[in-house]
Amino acid sequence: MIGSPVWGQLSVSFPFDGAVFQRSISNTATVTIAGSYSGAVERVEARLTAVAGGTSIGWADIDYQPKNGMYTGNLRGVTGGWYTLEVRSILFNNVISTVSLSRVGVGEVFIIAGQSNVQGIENRGNKASSDAQGRIKYIDWLLPCPDGVCQNVDPPFPLISTLNSTGQGIHIAPNGNTSWAWGELGDALLSRFNVPVLFFNAAAGGSSVGNWSRSADGLPSGHPLFGFLYGGNPDFPYQYLRKALNYYACLFGVRAVLWHQGESDSIKNRNENPNDNTSAAEYRDSLQYVIRRSRSHSNKALLPWVVGRGSYWYDPAGGPGTDAEVISGQNLTISPADKIFEGPNTDNIQVPRVDGVHLENVPGGAQGISEFAAGWNTYLTNTFFATANPYAATAPPSLTLGCSGNTYSITAPAGYSYFWVNGNNDITTHFSTNQTIYPGAGTYRVYLKDAFGNTVVTQSVTVPSLNPVPPTLSASASPVVAGQSVMLYAQGCSGTVTWSTGQGGYSISQTLSQTTTYTATCGIGSCVSTQASIQVSACPANATLSADYVSDQTLTVKASNALIGTNAVRAGATITYDAKNSVTLQPGFLAEKNSTFTAVAGVGCTN
């Protein structure tokens, strides 16, 4: 029935190629799949083929009745691994179109926070992931801070990259520099669990724990080394972490925040003003406050944190390179019952350090960054992965395409603020309350932001340039035997098909008693196409023909059983009698000279 041309084209607009979704403690995740199609589609199916790790999932329905050119659905119970995703559209049990994403993963998602020894520094000998399958991922974007004033902007549309380069200019969104220790840590976790890993880096060089706690409430604080307003903006450095939580952790899920900070507080404790020092209790209180704010701002009440211990900053004029108060404050913060776990103690790594504070992989010498990665791998124990309950990705809500008065509309779910874009454009201005837009022809998405600031990117919607076009109609047979059923099919309509019988759907069944003309329209919202029509002929089981056929009349008369002729075929007529079993010409039948008469037995209405 389908044949040519191909009536429907298919696309996947969620997830994104290379995306990694956070797995649960039971090593599974639900993967939401959404996109658009053209033409008629009765259902959409998807499958995942395991490439490295994981368990393949065969073709399964994800949207049994897609509407108006959009589909959305889920594959549940996807085990940790690396997959090829395929999606196909089905009409009349035939595959119309198939599309695929090269790689999609279920694994681990981490957010890094702290200061420069986790943010990363260029030209320090950092290594990258060596995984041949490219399963250690990040998004390359740096939040802008022109002239030292950090901008409180929303991150761009997510484009996934592979952390397999040590080159300069690599930024792990929203504020990381280089692959640092994270490519190596990713490889180590990969060797243990055989699942992909996605990193985000919200660290901020030179920041004190007080900078983090004060900026969590938008309160200004001075840079601990230089005195001026940290980041030139009272929302920083905490806003880096909030961006990562509200946007990236919402899209992909998250296992934990990996925290390593303390060097700046160590150097503060050596200045001449005792009121500026950070005691153990002050460090604990400040970090606990940051943790509480991160949980409330992201609506993740038990978001796991892993607190690394670090204070090393060697100052030839300032005495020892470590600070017991800072380390004690970090230890006091750790509370596994509150999902705050112990991270590595790094003060003994690469002592002394080349510049007095920062780790480095020295050619032919100490491999401080690599030791740092190994330390994190050691402390991210199997017990940690069994007890640090992660948060799953937020499934993007579906959109609705409508039409009224020849004008198309796209409507998003209620309860959000909205930023509509054409194609895959980025957020560039403020969100609005426009739940519905009335765009021209094109492809659109919307960023949805909830009351906490959590933001998801929806599927794409393609708006046609014209009103719905009428469907193309066909029948399973014509003619058919009176009293038997025939299937009627509508193709080419991505909206709702309505038949003259009052039925809806891409196919309907009809029982004919006589030759009948059927019509159908294609509708999106209240916009309806012109009618398409098809005539289906019906023929009897037996027929007795008594009416004369006159000059210039050309006709084939069929029956599924027998024809009996008692009529005349006049000169100039061309008549064929076609019956399955017999043609009987009774007395009174006449075929005049100069007429063409043919009798066929054995064909007829064989339906």
Side-chain angles (χ1 to χ4, degrees):
M1 279 305 306
I2 301 302
S4 181
V6 175
W7 290 102
Q9 298 299 317
L10 187 67
S11 69
V12 176
S13 56
F14 193 93
F16 320 113
D17 203 8
V20 178
F21 295 103
Q22 178 62 52
R23 61 180 181 156
S24 67
I25 282 182
S26 61
N27 189 37
T28 63
T30 295
V31 177
T32 298
I33 304 162
S36 60
Y37 62 88
S38 61
V41 171
E42 286 184 310
R43 70 179 189 272
V44 177
E45 299 176 343
R47 72 175 178 184
L48 287 168
T49 302
V51 176
T55 303
S56 296
I57 295 177
W59 289 111
D61 289 339
I62 59 169
D63 196 334
Y64 197 73
Q65 292 182 319
K67 295 179 180 179
N68 299 340
M70 294 177 290
Y71 70 89
T72 185
N74 300 298
L75 288 177
R76 304 182 187 279
V78 182
T79 59
W82 200 224
Y83 297 90
T84 295
L85 169 66
E86 294 173 275
V87 182
R88 68 185 184 186
S89 55
I90 307 293
L91 179 64
F92 313 142
N93 290 321
N94 290 288
V95 176
I96 302 299
S97 186
T98 302
V99 66
S100 66
L101 292 184
S102 174
R103 295 292 182 265
V104 174
V106 170
E108 293 294 334
V109 182
F110 291 101
I111 296 174
I112 299 147
Q115 60 181 103
S116 54
N117 263 327
V118 283
Q119 182 187 18
I121 304 172
E122 291 184 336
N123 301 314
R124 297 299 175 113
N126 56 284
K127 300 173 185 176
S129 168
S130 59
D131 176 50
Q133 292 286 347
R135 288 173 285 177
I136 310 305
K137 296 295 187 180
Y138 76 109
I139 289 176
D140 196 333
W141 176 69
L142 186 66
L143 190 143
C145 294
D147 299 322
V149 179
C150 293
Q151 305 298 300
N152 195 4
V153 298
D154 290 285
F157 184 83
L159 298 175
I160 315 298
S161 300
T162 302
L163 198 56
N164 59 359
S165 172
T166 60
Q168 296 187 29
I170 291 175
H171 302 112
I172 302 178
N175 200 47
N177 293 314
T178 80
S179 59
W180 201 239
W182 314 118
E184 291 184 89
L185 176 59
D187 282 351
L189 296 174
L190 188 64
S191 68
R192 289 168 57 188
F193 301 114
N194 201 24
V195 298
V197 183
L198 175 61
F199 287 107
F200 297 100
N201 195 328
S207 57
S208 68
V209 72
N211 292 144
W212 284 88
S213 62
R214 289 184 61 80
S215 61
D217 288 331
L219 301 175
S221 59
H223 192 291
L225 303 181
F226 307 112
F228 52 72
L229 176 65
Y230 192 94
N233 186 328
D235 290 331
F236 287 85
Y238 177 81
Q239 198 61 222
Y240 292 124
L241 176 59
R242 187 162 186 182
K243 296 297 181 190
L245 288 170
N246 285 148
Y247 187 60
Y248 297 120
C250 189
L251 284 174
F252 305 105
V254 61
R255 171 69 75 168
V257 176
L258 307 183
W259 172 266
H260 184 277
Q261 184 282 333
E263 298 95 326
S264 290
D265 289 278
S266 176
I267 201 69
K268 279 179 61 194
N269 286 352
R270 301 175 209 171
N271 64 29
E272 296 179 357
N273 181 3
N275 295 323
D276 192 38
N277 289 354
T278 303
S279 68
E282 288 172 332
Y283 193 102
R284 175 202 60 200
D285 293 346
S286 294
L287 183 53
Q288 285 180 345
Y289 189 73
V290 173
I291 293 171
R292 288 196 301 272
R293 297 300 277 161
S294 74
R295 289 171 169 177
S296 63
H297 284 151
S298 63
N299 196 28
K300 295 174 173 58
L302 287 175
L303 173 70
W305 276 63
V306 184
V307 176
R309 279 75 52 75
S311 67
Y312 184 90
W313 191 322
Y314 178 74
D315 181 354
T322 61
D323 192 300
E325 286 290 309
V326 171
I327 297 297
S328 178
Q330 293 159 353
N331 286 330
L332 289 172
T333 308
I334 295 165
S335 174
D338 297 319
K339 303 302 179 183
I340 305 172
F341 299 90
E342 180 182 16
N345 190 325
T346 63
D347 278 355
N348 293 324
I349 295 177
Q350 194 177 2
V351 177
R353 298 175 187 172
V354 176
D355 67 357
V357 60
H358 294 112
L359 299 168
E360 185 171 354
N361 283 340
V362 179
Q367 301 295 293
I369 300 174
S370 296
E371 288 184 51
F372 188 58
W376 278 104
N377 182 51
T378 298
Y379 276 84
L380 296 176
T381 64
N382 292 345
T383 299
F384 163 79
F385 284 104
T387 56
N389 291 44
Y391 283 82
T394 300
S398 299
L399 304 179
T400 302
L401 177 65
C403 186
S404 178
N406 301 327
T407 300
Y408 284 99
S409 64
I410 309 174
T411 300
Y416 298 90
S417 55
Y418 309 89
F419 192 89
W420 294 90
V421 295
N422 195 328
N424 293 335
N425 288 338
D426 301 331
I427 302 168
T428 55
T429 56
H430 296 294
F431 280 65
S432 74
T433 58
N434 295 332
Q435 183 184 353
T436 299
I437 61 169
Y438 302 90
T443 300
Y444 302 88
R445 293 184 190 259
V446 62
Y447 295 82
L448 303 176
K449 182 176 289 189
D450 68 14
F452 295 91
N454 292 320
T455 303
V456 294
V457 186
T458 68
Q459 68 192 110
S460 292
V461 179
T462 299
V463 176
S465 59
L466 302 170
N467 280 338
V469 296
T472 300
L473 307 183
S474 58
S476 58
S478 181
V480 296
V481 178
Q484 292 188 349
S485 63
V486 62
M487 292 298 298
L488 302 180
Y489 301 97
Q491 296 168 250
C493 171
S494 60
T496 300
V497 175
T498 303
W499 296 86
S500 53
T501 62
Q503 297 166 279
Y506 295 122
S507 62
I508 62 173
S509 176
Q510 290 292 292
T511 300
L512 277 70
S513 60
Q514 60 184 8
T515 297
T516 304
T517 297
Y518 297 90
T519 62
T521 58
C522 177
I524 297 177
S526 60
C527 298
V528 180
S529 72
T530 58
Q531 291 183 340
S533 63
I534 185 173
Q535 184 181 79
V536 183
S537 300
C539 65
N542 300 292
T544 299
L545 307 174
S546 58
D548 290 354
Y549 295 113
V550 299
S551 176
D552 295 328
Q553 193 168 8
T554 299
L555 188 64
T556 297
V557 182
K558 294 187 177 185
S560 61
N561 183 27
L563 286 174
I564 299 174
T566 60
N567 60 316
V569 180
R570 302 300 180 183
T574 301
I575 304 299
T576 300
Y577 290 172
D578 187 350
K580 174 66 174 175
N581 295 324
S582 65
V583 175
T584 302
L585 306 178
Q586 290 188 337
F589 175 82
L590 172 66
E592 291 184 345
K593 183 180 180 180
N594 293 325
S595 70
T596 301
F597 172 72
T598 305
V600 180
V603 183
C605 289
T606 59
N607 193 43

